[in-house]
Amino acid sequence: MPDVTFPGRAASAALTRHFQDPASGALEPYVRAGSSGTTRTDLSGSIAAADTAQVMAVSNPNRRALGVQNTSGAELRLRSTGVASSSAGIRIPPGALYEAAAHDVPVTALSIWGATAGQTFVAWEA
């Protein structure tokens, strides 16, 4: 799993990932910045109540990008077609980053679930 950070979590912040160079074995950074003129909205937060889904984002017909990084120690679930639960939604393991494919960004409300209150996530939409 690549090392992923959201420096400062500011709007339009660069997303930094590292990959392992196959020749040297060293971790090398690469950076992808938001496109010019793109404003990102911070959706970051934490799970309010254990084993209870919550709304991470309301529906947004203008949403063109979505990213969620699980910064907690247990899995999270993200769902755009109903309520997320332990068995429903996209599984985001600890430390993992989910980015919606450009052709498949949901514009509906987003539900997020975690087993434990206080689990944190860093998320954005544009």
Side-chain angles (χ1 to χ4, degrees):
M1 173 60 38
D3 177 24
V4 180
T5 60
F6 282 81
R9 289 181 16 201
S12 299
L15 171 64
T16 304
R17 295 186 190 185
H18 293 83
F19 65 93
Q20 189 167 20
D21 182 306
S24 69
L27 287 178
E28 301 291 339
Y30 68 89
V31 177
R32 185 182 76 204
S35 60
S36 178
T38 300
T39 300
R40 291 185 176 182
T41 301
D42 188 4
L43 304 172
S44 302
S46 62
I47 299 300
D51 199 29
T52 303
Q54 65 192 49
V55 175
M56 186 183 80
V58 298
S59 63
N60 179 354
N62 297 312
R63 186 182 297 133
R64 301 291 176 256
L66 173 69
V68 181
Q69 181 184 13
N70 182 353
T71 53
S72 74
E75 81 172 33
L76 294 171
R77 295 279 182 144
L78 178 69
R79 192 164 185 199
S80 63
T81 57
V83 178
S85 70
S86 62
S87 60
I90 297 166
R91 181 178 177 270
I92 307 174
L97 171 69
Y98 167 77
E99 286 184 292
H103 67 277
D104 197 27
V105 176
V107 297
T108 56
L110 301 170
S111 171
I112 193 163
W113 170 92
T116 307
Q119 284 181 255
T120 57
F121 55 90
V122 174
W124 56 267
E125 70 178 358

